[in-house]
Amino acid sequence: MRNFSRGEAGVMLLRALLVVLLAAGWELGVRRKLIDPFFFSRPSLILADLNKILVSGEILPHLKITLKEAFIGLAAGTVSGIVVAFVLGRLELLARVLDPIMVALYGIPKLALGPLFILWFGVGIKSKIFMSAIMVFFLIFFNTYAGYRNVDRSLVNAVRLMGGSGGQILRKVILPSCVPWILAGLRAALGASLLGALVGEYIGAEAGLGWMIQSAGGMYDTTRVMSCIVLLTAIMALGNVGLKITEKRLLKWQPTE
Amino acid sequence: MSPSLGYNDGDGADNDRRPATAGQGAEAPVKLAVRNVNHTFISANGKRTEALTQVNLEVRDHEFVAIVGPSGCGKSTLLNIVSGLGRPTSGEVSLDGLPMSGISHRIGYISQVDSLLPWRTVLANVELGLEIKGVPKKQRREIARSLIDKTGLSGFEDSFPAELSGGMKKRVGIIRCLAMDPEIIFMDEPFGALDVFTRETLQDEILRIWQETRKTIVFVTHDLSEAITLADRVVLMTARPSTVKSQYPIPIPRPRSAFETHLDPQFFELQRLIWKDLKSEVIKAQGGGSEKF
């Protein structure tokens, strides 16, 4: 156990070292005029810019809006994905009717729907939430549905033989069996929810990180674009850590090896 | 070996109407009755498979009956029908003289695969049935804990099934069933996948449980020696389409232990006698099946 954690710490140290080395190489490359800062900026400038926009609070309203869009989109897409998967899991005929339609809808590049969403929901937060939710929905839906199909029949039968009602079977067998599948879906959905919000903002918005990147890019402010990207990376990393912790808690029953 | 030991009349639809054993079951009332049960499977492509034909069987209160037959003979189908999971194509199953319809909480079922919920701890798994019944938390915890202690699983209350050995999982499955205090327990080849030593200790466990609770048990197995070790009566089923071929009372005295029973001279005699009868069905099941379809 101790050895393991020490190994883990070692890996983290090496990882940090690699990031620092890359940043140092980048910085050095720019200073030696090997890399054009117009296109790539440089780490010290990015850090200074990040510090500025965070301390001044300039970035905060944009950050808040994008996170809000992504989070509501994630929640709505997850819940609706699970509900629809369970309904179709239950109603096999409907599932067979809808199957190719769902696959076709999933295949539409969501970016193409952007103008429609703006038309329907306006340039405000709603169109971004919708974009985010729809991207999340399909990921969660397909995963949960596969999970529903994979529920161990012998477990369902065992609970039925104990006199379990349909609702009890759903709560005590089907939902917990689907949890690993839902979590796998969430892992992909986490990125998709943020992507949906950003893409929505690219198409038309008045605020948000996506809007900020877009407008900074328009002004050739590479440093600001990079600052926003660093921020997004940090958000994703945090989200993933949160998800990992959730997974560990919810899936502690799964054999580790 | 006296021929009077076994009722071996081969083709009777009512060969079960006779009293089971002189000792244990004769005066006890009939708990479970299977009458003229037929079952035919129709597969997706329309192929009909006759699994059970004219099955008649009576199990008396507190009796331990083992059903033996070649693999694929429809033993599990029969158990599914009597447990209420499936309905027979025709025929009737009654419990305490009343026709059975669907699943009853008076029946416990232990299946071939251990169907423990993998995300629940041992304790939570044992509580499952009581939870479904709506027993208050404190009370069901008490019942589960005392059963866990009795089965030698204490210390594993908070373990998940994946952390247990095959034998331990079976024990949990058995006490999960006992926790609901069913009147009759069906077991479908419960120890099939276990090694010999684990099997024997679990057989002892079942013998102990029967001795203590006197529950009516119907135990399906393809292992003849297991059937003789455990049961008051061995019911032999034919190859498909399956029916009751013959029945043998097992007069080996109780309380039994798996190990001691295997050394009993009666055990060998019974095994020889029943095996002769069973062998022809096994051969039929292996060779005869393919030419029919």
Side-chain angles (χ1 to χ4, degrees), chain B residues 243-259:
Chain B
T243 191
V244 174
K245 188 179 194 196
S246 41
Q247 308 197 34
Y248 297 86
I250 308 298
I252 297 172
R254 290 185 192 269
R256 298 179 194 164
S257 85
F259 180 69

Side-chain angles (χ1 to χ4, degrees), chain B residues 160-231:
Chain B
F160 290 102
E163 298 164 333
L164 304 179
S165 68
M168 285 162 96
K169 279 188 236 181
K170 272 289 166 240
R171 274 170 212 268
V172 178
I174 292 165
I175 57 175
R176 179 177 73 173
C177 177
L178 285 178
M180 299 184 73
D181 198 23
E183 294 165 32
I184 175 165
I185 302 177
F186 295 123
M187 303 192 192
D188 185 9
E189 296 188 25
F191 310 145
L194 300 171
D195 65 89
V196 182
F197 301 112
T198 312
R199 252 182 120 120
E200 238 174 63
T201 51
L202 284 166
Q203 285 166 2
D204 279 338
E205 189 77 37
I206 294 290
L207 286 168
R208 178 185 68 78
I209 287 165
W210 185 86
Q211 208 69 40
E212 280 175 18
T213 64
R214 301 284 166 136
K215 292 203 183 291
T216 311
I217 298 180
V218 179
F219 191 104
V220 163
T221 176
H222 58 248
D223 178 349
L224 184 54
S225 77
E226 181 170 70
I228 298 171
T229 305
L230 297 175

Side-chain angles (χ1 to χ4, degrees), chain A residues 181-193:
Chain A
W181 298 79
I182 294 171
L183 285 172
L186 268 176
R187 218 172 299 146
L190 211 58
S193 69

Side-chain angles (χ1 to χ4, degrees), chain B:
Chain B
M1 173 60 44
S2 70
S4 64
L5 189 66
Y7 309 111
N8 193 354
D9 52 2
D11 52 2
D14 60 351
N15 52 4
D16 56 295
R17 295 296 166 83
R18 309 172 194 204
T21 32
Q24 274 134 341
E27 65 284 345
V30 172
K31 184 80 190 164
L32 175 83
V34 177
R35 295 210 194 289
N36 304 322
V37 161
N38 294 283
H39 195 72
T40 306
F41 289 110
I42 300 169
S43 66
N45 54 23
K47 200 176 83 180
R48 295 166 66 90
T49 308
E50 218 181 319
L52 300 172
T53 175
Q54 287 300 104
V55 175
N56 283 282
L57 182 69
E58 275 180 359
V59 179
R60 294 180 176 274
D61 215 0
H62 311 303
E63 196 183 7
F64 197 138
V65 171
I67 299 177
V68 189
S71 19
C73 79
K75 296 170 299 216
S76 297
T77 311
L78 181 61
L79 265 205
N80 277 346
I81 288 170
V82 291
S83 64
L85 256 188
R87 278 178 176 284
T89 310
S90 70
E92 191 191 77
V93 179
S94 59
L95 196 60
D96 286 330
L98 297 170
M100 233 181 74
S101 57
I103 288 153
S104 164
H105 60 87
R106 293 156 65 197
I107 287 173
Y109 190 96
I110 296 168
S111 63
Q112 214 161 353
V113 293
D114 54 87
S115 50
L116 302 176
L117 301 184
W119 47 84
R120 281 181 174 237
T121 59
V122 166
L123 188 64
N125 260 298
V126 177
E127 281 180 40
L128 178 63
L130 299 167
E131 206 178 298
I132 286 166
K133 253 187 181 174
V135 175
K137 187 164 184 157
K138 200 176 152 228
Q139 203 181 331
R140 63 178 193 241
R141 190 134 291 185
E142 244 166 58
I143 296 170
R145 278 200 191 282
S146 87
L147 280 165
I148 286 170
D149 286 345
K150 252 197 231 165
T151 337
L153 284 167
S154 26
F156 290 96
E157 290 91 342
D158 298 324
S159 301
F160 290 102
E163 298 164 333
L164 304 179
S165 68
M168 285 162 96
K169 279 188 236 181
K170 272 289 166 240
R171 274 170 212 268
V172 178
I174 292 165
I175 57 175
R176 179 177 73 173
C177 177
L178 285 178
M180 299 184 73
D181 198 23
E183 294 165 32
I184 175 165
I185 302 177
F186 295 123
M187 303 192 192
D188 185 9
E189 296 188 25
F191 310 145
L194 300 171
D195 65 89
V196 182
F197 301 112
T198 312
R199 252 182 120 120
E200 238 174 63
T201 51
L202 284 166
Q203 285 166 2
D204 279 338
E205 189 77 37
I206 294 290
L207 286 168
R208 178 185 68 78
I209 287 165
W210 185 86
Q211 208 69 40
E212 280 175 18
T213 64
R214 301 284 166 136
K215 292 203 183 291
T216 311
I217 298 180
V218 179
F219 191 104
V220 163
T221 176
H222 58 248
D223 178 349
L224 184 54
S225 77
E226 181 170 70
I228 298 171
T229 305
L230 297 175
D232 298 320
R233 176 160 55 109
V234 171
V235 175
L236 205 65
M237 307 252 322
T238 65
R240 228 169 35 206
S242 198
T243 191
V244 174
K245 188 179 194 196
S246 41
Q247 308 197 34
Y248 297 86
I250 308 298
I252 297 172
R254 290 185 192 269
R256 298 179 194 164
S257 85
F259 180 69
E260 293 293 331
T261 307
H262 290 167
L263 301 175
D264 193 310
Q266 282 189 87
F267 176 83
F268 295 111
E269 274 311 321
L270 283 160
Q271 198 163 26
R272 195 201 316 267
L273 185 75
I274 305 173
W275 174 241
K276 257 203 245 159
D277 204 1
L278 175 62
K279 199 171 155 192
S280 59
E281 296 305 325
V282 173
I283 291 167
K284 231 188 279 174
Q286 285 168 350
S290 56
E291 51 185 67
K292 229 179 288 170
F293 298 109

Side-chain angles (χ1 to χ4, degrees), chain A residues 66 70-71 73-74 78 131-133 135-136 139-140 183-199 232-233 235-237 239-240 243:
Chain A
T66 303
F71 185 76
L74 183 66
T78 302
M131 179 65 95
S132 174
M135 290 176 91
V136 170
L139 293 171
I140 298 290
L183 285 172
L186 268 176
R187 218 172 299 146
L190 211 58
S193 69
L194 203 54
L195 181 65
L198 287 177
V199 162
L232 286 169
T233 312
I235 291 167
M236 276 311 297
N240 277 320
L243 192 63

